[in-house]
């Protein structure tokens, strides 16, 4: 997939038509933001070959939250490269037991109601299942954080806790490059609800919608030009404007 704009680091968008994860080339090392689904391995290897970089150049994997479409390759990359896998401490239990997701995470509403109103919305969860979401392996070694902080990761990203989608949901900001990786705290495509543009994912996949809106207000305080979400196209009109539009569109 096409590279996203950056003033310094090269950002390579990976995944497929529904799932995004990103490879950040800081020069000296590579950083993976989220880890897609288990079947995205060949796509990641292809990107590395095009860059002329071995998998051992991946120094860190930063997980925005513990859902399987963001964790799928984390353990395989960690095993192959020795990369540190970072996640907020609240989502660490999910990564340790991803196949028991519902023990640590419960959405506000059932998917059934959305499926009745919009049956085509079921294509997204079915796509995740076909691409290996239910076979996501546990991550055996993790590095965690509990508060907003700059991580000891190439590129010096700032981890900003944005609980909503999960309790440990985190956005990663690279202020020097004016880029925000928002995971699913702010997306530009909600395939289940059928929304395009900055928004919060529907309640079938959101744990706390009130926290979701508060998290958007929080990240809007940062002056960032480009938003790279977990789902949907890049947004290049500023993080604050994306957050404003997402709040205005409400929770569904």
């Amino acid at each position: 997939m096409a590279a996203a704009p950056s003033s310094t680091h090269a950002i390579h968008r990976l995944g497929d038509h529904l799932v995004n994860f990103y490879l950040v080339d800081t020069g000296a090392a590579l950083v993976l933001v989220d880890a897609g689904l288990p079947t995205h391995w060949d796509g990641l290897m292809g990107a590395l070959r095009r860059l002329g970089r071995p998998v051992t150049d991946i120094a860190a994997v930063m997980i925005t939250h513990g859902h399987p479409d963001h964790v799928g390759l984390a353990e395989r990359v960690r095993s192959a490269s020795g990369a540190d896998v970072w996640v907020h401490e609240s989502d660490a239990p999910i990564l340790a037991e991803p196949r028991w997701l519902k023990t640590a995470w419960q959405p506000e509403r059932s998917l059934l109601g959305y499926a009745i109103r919009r049956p085509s919305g079921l294509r997204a969860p079915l796509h995740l299942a076909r691409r290996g979401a239910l076979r996501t392996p546990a991550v055996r070694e993790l590095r965690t954080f509990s508060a907003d902080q700059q991580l000891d990761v190439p590129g010096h990203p700032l981890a900003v806790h944005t609980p909503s989608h999960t309790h440990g949901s985190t956005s990663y900001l690279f202020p020097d490059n004016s880029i925000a990786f928002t995971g699913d705290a702010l997306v530009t495509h909600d395939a289940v609800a059928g929304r395009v543009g900055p928004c919060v994912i529907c309640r079938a996949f959101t744990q706390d919608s009130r926290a979701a809106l508060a998290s958007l207000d929080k990240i809007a305080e940062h002056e960032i030009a480009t938003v790279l979400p977990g789902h949907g196209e890049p947004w290049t009109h500023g993080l604050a404007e994306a957050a404003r539009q997402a709040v205005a569109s409400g929770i569904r």
Side-chain angles (χ1 to χ4, degrees):
M1 304 178 82
S6 169
S7 58
T8 303
H9 304 328
I11 313 294
H12 303 273
R13 180 181 169 198
L14 306 175
D16 56 46
H17 68 290
L18 286 179
V19 176
N20 300 327
F21 64 110
Y22 302 91
L23 188 64
V24 182
D25 187 348
T26 69
L30 303 174
V31 175
L32 204 60
V33 181
D34 281 330
L37 289 156
T39 56
H40 287 144
W41 178 258
D42 288 345
L44 173 60
M45 291 300 102
L48 292 172
R49 283 193 298 272
R50 289 190 293 274
L51 293 171
R53 306 288 290 267
V55 68
T56 50
D57 277 3
I58 300 178
V61 182
M62 302 192 306
I63 302 297
T64 61
H65 64 285
H67 284 175
D69 53 324
H70 297 257
V71 180
L73 297 178
E75 175 59 18
R76 191 169 182 181
V77 170
R78 187 198 68 80
S79 298
S81 68
D84 291 327
V85 179
W86 291 84
V87 70
H88 189 277
E89 64 179 11
S90 296
D91 277 12
I94 303 177
L95 271 65
E97 294 285 352
R99 300 182 191 187
W100 296 97
L101 173 65
K102 288 300 179 70
T103 64
W105 174 82
Q106 291 290 334
E108 288 187 326
R109 289 186 179 174
S110 167
L111 180 60
L112 180 60
Y114 295 88
I116 291 172
R117 292 193 298 272
R118 189 173 180 274
S120 62
L122 286 177
R123 293 173 186 167
L126 290 174
H127 172 80
L128 303 188
R130 285 194 298 268
R131 298 301 298 262
L134 302 180
R135 303 188 303 275
T136 298
V139 182
R140 298 183 181 276
E141 295 181 19
L142 290 169
R143 295 192 66 176
T144 63
F145 51 91
S146 59
D148 297 0
Q149 65 183 77
Q150 189 176 66
L151 300 183
D152 183 18
V153 168
H156 310 294
L158 175 64
V160 180
H161 188 208
T162 47
S164 56
H165 194 57
T166 67
H167 290 316
S169 176
T170 299
S171 297
Y172 296 108
L173 312 185
F174 285 77
D176 291 345
N177 296 83
S178 205
I179 291 175
F181 297 93
T182 55
D184 290 1
L186 191 164
V187 300
T188 58
H189 182 209
D190 179 351
V192 171
R195 291 197 287 178
V196 175
C199 63
V200 173
I201 285 182
C202 68
R203 286 186 168 103
F205 290 94
T206 292
Q207 193 157 17
D208 187 335
S209 57
R210 287 188 179 182
L213 298 179
S215 291
L216 291 176
D217 288 339
K218 179 181 179 181
I219 58 175
E221 296 174 1
H222 295 269
E223 293 187 8
I224 298 289
T226 300
V227 177
L228 300 180
H231 305 280
E233 295 299 313
W235 173 268
T236 58
H237 304 293
L239 179 58
E241 177 61 18
R244 186 195 68 78
Q245 290 195 24
V247 170
S249 70
I251 307 290
R252 296 187 184 179

